[in-house]
Amino acid sequence: MASSAGSAHERLTEVVAAALEVAAEAGETGVYTDETARVLTAVVGKIGARISVEAEVHGFAGGWQEAVAHLGRTHPDPGDAQVLPMRPDGDDGP
């Protein structure tokens, strides 16, 4: 799990660095505008959101696999699931 978080951080760092590089080049050529800033911000935001979702899914899958491996099986047995009744008063405790 830590590696997925580290990988996500590295990927986001690369995206931000690329956006800053584009901004610097646009500034050097005199074409950096408010619209350029908005577009670069949107790109970093959208890619950052994707990276975050991928890291969360990867982390969940990794945690699930680790839990199943801890049980000593390759696939969980449905009989291992604990089902608790829901009480109408909202007290869902056992």
Side-chain angles (χ1 to χ4, degrees):
M1 260 191 291
S3 64
S4 68
S7 175
H9 181 265
E10 290 169 8
R11 289 174 57 202
L12 186 55
T13 299
E14 290 176 12
V15 169
V16 171
L20 289 173
E21 187 177 329
V22 170
E25 290 172 3
E28 287 174 358
T29 60
V31 296
Y32 188 83
T33 63
D34 290 346
E35 185 63 22
T36 304
R38 281 190 288 276
V39 168
L40 290 174
T41 300
V43 167
V44 169
K46 287 192 179 281
I47 293 175
R50 288 180 186 157
I51 290 170
S52 176
V53 167
E54 289 172 10
E56 288 178 23
V57 169
H58 181 74
F60 174 81
W64 176 258
Q65 291 169 351
E66 184 178 330
V68 170
H70 182 68
L71 293 173
R73 298 186 208 123
T74 57
H75 297 295
D77 182 1
D80 289 341
Q82 182 180 10
V83 179
L84 301 174
M86 292 180 60
R87 297 183 185 159
D89 62 0
D91 181 13
D92 295 336

